[in-house]
Amino acid sequence: MPASLLPRLIVDQLTDLTPELLGEYGIRSLFMDFDNTIVPYTTDVPTEAMDRWLTAMQESEIFLCVVSNSRNQRVVRFCNAHGLHCVTRSRKPFQKGIREALTRYHLDPKTTALVGDQIFTDVLGANCGGLTSILVTPIRLHNIWLKLRNVAEQPFIFLARGRRR
């Protein structure tokens, strides 16, 4: 699905993903966006539910890696504190960071998914890279730009949901 803005899978939040659900899609590796997917933009402290989910996923057969456009050191600190692999400054939807993570960890794009809260970066980047794209609802739209972006994404979310019926 190259250059498509339609996610393959839509879930409410990252913690809705289970090893079993990912297995149904043939996914063995999960790339995760950071801001508004794992934690809100304004913090690097996960909720208790997110912390439990990260621990459970790390105990599963699913390989986890944060692939973030952020330049902020809080992403690296978070990943170090939680034992997560990470690639920052990834420039999604461009393929730089996605290819870097695939190469660094010797992963197959066909068995890798990228989950994030943005269609124009995460979903497009995953689809262009041949990964399974998973869209989550943003944790918090705390400013006007995030709210406007979310409004612009709604037609694509509608089309993606309709495609599954």
Side-chain angles (χ1 to χ4, degrees), residues 1-6 93-95 98 118-129 133:
M1 198 182 332
S4 173
L5 293 170
L6 302 182
F94 302 107
Q95 296 301 295
I98 293 169
Q118 295 186 46
I119 285 183
F120 302 117
T121 56
D122 304 312
V123 170
L124 182 58
N127 289 340
C128 288
S133 55

Side-chain angles (χ1 to χ4, degrees), residues 61-113:
E61 300 282 320
I62 303 294
F63 175 85
L64 298 178
C65 180
V66 171
V67 177
S68 173
N69 285 352
S70 180
R71 294 178 165 92
N72 195 312
Q73 279 301 109
R74 72 187 183 82
V75 178
V76 175
R77 283 192 306 270
F78 178 93
C79 291
N80 288 338
H82 290 85
L84 294 168
H85 301 281
C86 104
V87 172
T88 57
R89 301 176 187 221
S90 66
R91 300 187 61 218
K92 295 174 292 184
F94 302 107
Q95 296 301 295
K96 174 195 168 288
I98 293 169
R99 279 194 312 263
E100 180 181 332
L102 289 168
T103 302
R104 182 185 302 171
Y105 302 111
H106 310 287
L107 302 173
D108 182 352
K110 290 184 222 119
T111 61
T112 303

Side-chain angles (χ1 to χ4, degrees), residues 14-15 37-39 46-55 139:
L14 184 59
T15 56
T37 299
I38 298 175
V39 295
T47 63
E48 285 183 30
M50 182 61 69
D51 204 33
R52 283 192 307 273
W53 181 86
L54 287 168
T55 300
I139 293 172

Side-chain angles (χ1 to χ4, degrees), residues 11-62:
V11 295
D12 285 333
Q13 54 194 349
L14 184 59
T15 56
D16 291 337
L17 295 175
T18 63
E20 296 77 22
L21 177 60
L22 294 170
E24 289 176 23
Y25 287 85
I27 302 305
R28 294 194 301 260
S29 305
L30 183 64
F31 292 169
M32 302 171 292
D33 179 48
F34 186 71
D35 289 313
N36 253 355
T37 299
I38 298 175
V39 295
Y41 278 98
T42 55
T43 185
D44 61 357
V45 179
T47 63
E48 285 183 30
M50 182 61 69
D51 204 33
R52 283 192 307 273
W53 181 86
L54 287 168
T55 300
M57 290 298 285
Q58 288 171 316
E59 292 171 356
S60 77
E61 300 282 320
I62 303 294

